[in-house]
Amino acid sequence: MTNFVAQTRENKISEMPYFYEDNTIQGFMATHQPTVWMGDYGYVSVMPQVGKLKLLPKDRALPFTHKDEISKPNYYSVTMGDKSQKIKGEIAAASRCGIFQFTFPKSDESHIIIQGINITENKKAFHGYIRIDENKREITGYNPERMSSHLGPELKNFKGYFIIQFDKPFERFGTWNSFRTEPDIIEMGKEQTGARMGGYISFKTEKNEKVKVKIATSFISLDQARENLSKEIPDWDFNKVVENTRNIWQDNLSRITVNGATEDQKSIFYTALFHTMLFPREFSEYGRYYSPFDDKVHEGVSYNDYSLWDTFRALHPLLHFTQPERVSPMIQSLLQMYQEGGWLPKWPNPTYTNIMTGTHADAVIADAYIKGFRDYDLDLAYEAVREKCHAPTL
C-alpha cells in the first residue's frame, strides 16, 4: 500500500521523489506516487540531522554518492553527510508500515525532522496536522493532499493518516510551518496545522548510536494505522522486517524459473518481474478500505493505482500467470469503483483523473473473464462494461 523510499527532491506531478542523478538526500519518505506523470497523495517524510537545526528540504539535504548506497527489494541503505559527521540511513518495510534505522555520529545536537505536508504554493485548501506526544515517543497526524486533485472530484474525508514512533526518548521537540526560507518554529510546540509544515525531535547521540523510527500509514483512521503497525511491525527488530520482506519477494519472484540465461540476463529478467508486482497497489487494510470514489469506508478488499492505458495489453495478462490469486480481487476492485463512483476509471490516482485515451478497464475485465477468472459479480461486471461509454465529464 505504501512505498518507503529515499527522497532526493520534492516530488510532484512529473517528478518522482528519488532521481538517480541527484547527489543529496532530503528525507526518507512514505509515498503513494505510482509513477512520474501522476501525483503523490497522503505522504509523510522524516530526515536525520546533526548540528544546527535545518527544516526545509533543500536546507536539510545531505550529500551522498551511489557507492555508499545499497538498494534491494527488501532493504535500502545510504551513508550521507561530510567526512566528520556522516549519518547512515536504512529502510525496511512491510505493506502499510515501514521502519527506518539511522546511525548517528557523536553529537549533542542530533535531530529527526518530520515533514507532514509540502505544498510549495500558499494557494491550496489542503492543510495537514501533526501532534507530538513526548511521553509515548510518538508523532501522529494526517496529510490530506492529493497532487492530482484538480483532475477529479473533491474528497472531503480523504486523509493519509500516519503514526511515527521512536525507540529513543527525545529531550527537545517542536513544530514548524512556513512557505519562507526561515520557518516559523514553535519550540516545544505539540500541535501544528498548515500546508507546508512538520515537526522535529532533538536528542544527544553517542558514536554509531542507532535510532529506529517506525511509520504506520492508513487511509481509514489513526486507529487503523495503529492496528496495521501491530500486525506488520509489532516490535523494533529491524533485521526481522528485512528478512520477512525478503522471503515474500523470494516466494513471488520464484514463480518463474529461468534456465539457460547468463547472470546478467537473470538480473534483468527478475528486476523486470519485480516491477510487474508494484502496481496496482494494495489499498485495503485487513478487511476494510477507504474508497476515494464515494469518500466512505467499506468492508472488503481493494486495489488502486491502475495504469490501465499502459497495462491492459501485457501486465494484466501476465498477472494471470504470476499472481492468479490477485486477479479476481483486482477485477472486484474495479467494479467497486464503478459502484461507488458511477463509472469505471481510466487511471485512478487514487480517484478519477479522467486522463488517458480509451476505456481499458473493460478490456482487463473481459480478458480475465475469458481466461476463467470469475470470482466477482458477473452481472455487475457486464453492467459496468456496458456503462463505460457514459462517463461524465469532470
Side-chain angles (χ1 to χ4, degrees):
M1 188 180 85
T2 303
N3 300 119
F4 295 87
V5 303
Q7 180 185 8
T8 66
R9 58 176 61 187
E10 297 173 81
N11 60 327
K12 58 185 179 181
I13 295 177
S14 78
E15 288 191 16
M16 298 295 284
Y18 182 94
F19 192 72
Y20 190 81
E21 284 73 15
D22 290 341
N23 56 17
T24 62
I25 300 288
Q26 295 184 356
F28 292 77
M29 192 176 197
T31 175
H32 303 101
Q33 186 171 7
T35 187
V36 67
W37 51 83
M38 303 300 283
D40 204 348
Y41 53 90
Y43 52 87
V44 65
S45 70
V46 302
M47 181 63 184
Q49 188 183 101
V50 293
K52 181 182 178 182
L53 186 66
K54 298 177 182 178
L55 299 171
L56 295 181
K58 290 184 179 179
D59 297 334
R60 67 181 185 239
L62 294 176
F64 81 104
T65 64
H66 293 302
K67 67 180 180 63
D68 295 323
E69 195 177 32
I70 297 172
S71 183
K72 300 178 180 180
N74 63 315
Y75 171 78
Y76 174 86
S77 73
V78 63
T79 301
M80 312 164 288
D82 57 33
K83 294 181 180 179
S84 62
Q85 290 188 316
K86 287 188 176 295
I87 301 175
K88 183 178 181 180
E90 300 171 273
I91 306 174
S95 176
R96 303 156 188 86
C97 305
I99 183 168
F100 303 143
Q101 182 168 263
F102 300 121
T103 304
F104 283 87
K106 181 177 177 59
S107 174
D108 291 335
E109 292 185 284
S110 294
H111 319 280
I112 293 178
I113 316 303
I114 297 90
Q115 183 142 1
I117 187 170
N118 187 37
I119 299 174
T120 54
E121 305 116 20
N122 195 6
K123 297 178 181 178
K124 299 216 175 181
F126 297 117
H127 281 78
Y129 169 79
I130 64 166
R131 183 179 185 277
I132 301 175
D133 188 329
E134 73 275 25
N135 296 319
K136 290 184 177 180
R137 306 178 189 175
E138 182 176 88
I139 297 177
T140 56
Y142 59 77
N143 178 357
E145 189 195 7
R146 295 177 292 118
M147 293 179 180
S148 60
S149 61
H150 59 290
L151 298 173
E154 181 182 2
L155 299 175
K156 294 181 179 180
N157 296 319
F158 174 84
K159 292 181 176 69
Y161 295 95
F162 56 83
I163 297 175
I164 305 173
Q165 296 180 343
F166 308 89
D167 73 339
K168 181 181 176 66
F170 40 92
E171 301 167 4
R172 302 186 314 280
F173 57 88
T175 63
W176 57 277
N177 188 349
S178 183
F179 285 92
R180 296 175 291 278
T181 302
E182 293 296 330
D184 295 325
I185 300 174
I186 304 174
E187 294 185 9
M188 307 305 285
K190 293 190 175 184
E191 290 186 278
Q192 185 63 263
T193 60
R196 195 184 200 206
M197 64 84 191
Y200 67 90
I201 65 170
S202 301
F203 41 81
K204 296 179 181 178
T205 51
E206 299 299 325
K207 183 179 180 181
N208 294 328
E209 181 176 351
K210 290 180 170 60
V211 178
K212 296 175 184 176
V213 182
K214 294 195 290 189
I215 297 184
T217 68
S218 174
F219 294 112
I220 296 174
S221 66
L222 286 175
D223 288 340
Q224 183 65 51
R226 201 174 297 280
E227 181 180 340
N228 295 345
L229 190 62
S230 70
K231 291 179 182 294
E232 295 185 358
I233 310 181
D235 50 39
W236 292 97
D237 192 336
F238 181 88
N239 292 331
K240 184 168 73 173
V241 180
V242 173
E243 186 63 22
N244 288 345
T245 303
R246 182 189 182 278
N247 291 339
I248 291 170
W249 277 114
Q250 186 67 19
D251 175 64
N252 284 271
L253 291 170
S254 64
R255 295 184 180 191
I256 295 181
T257 302
V258 176
N259 296 317
T262 66
E263 290 304 306
D264 283 346
Q265 289 170 334
K266 288 181 181 179
S267 178
I268 292 169
F269 175 84
Y270 284 110
T271 300
L273 185 60
F274 162 77
H275 288 151
T276 69
M277 299 179 194
L278 299 181
F279 300 99
R281 76 166 75 250
E282 289 183 309
F283 209 72
S284 48
E285 305 174 46
Y286 300 102
R288 296 198 301 159
Y289 67 94
Y290 163 80
S291 170
F293 295 86
D294 66 1
D295 209 22
K296 298 177 182 178
V297 176
H298 300 266
E299 302 291 323
V301 174
S302 178
Y303 289 83
N304 207 311
D305 283 319
Y306 292 73
S307 178
L308 294 164
W309 185 77
D310 303 292
T311 58
F312 79 97
R313 295 181 184 87
L315 173 62
H316 283 281
L318 176 65
L319 296 179
H320 297 171
F321 297 96
T322 61
Q323 299 285 305
E325 72 277 13
R326 297 182 185 267
V327 173
S328 287
M330 287 181 180
I331 300 301
Q332 180 60 37
S333 297
L334 290 172
L335 300 181
Q336 288 162 183
M337 295 173 189
Y338 166 71
Q339 279 185 306
E340 295 153 6
W343 49 290
L344 290 170
K346 292 184 178 182
W347 213 133
N349 179 237
T351 187
Y352 295 119
T353 61
N354 205 26
I355 64 171
M356 300 300 178
T357 59
T359 54
H360 297 112
D362 51 302
V364 172
I365 295 170
D367 189 42
Y369 175 84
I370 293 297
K371 302 291 177 54
F373 295 95
R374 301 177 184 180
D375 189 15
Y376 46 86
D377 188 328
L378 299 180
D379 292 334
L380 180 64
Y382 183 70
E383 176 188 321
V385 170
R386 286 293 300 271
E387 286 288 329
K388 69 182 184 345
C389 60
H390 300 296
T393 300
L394 297 174

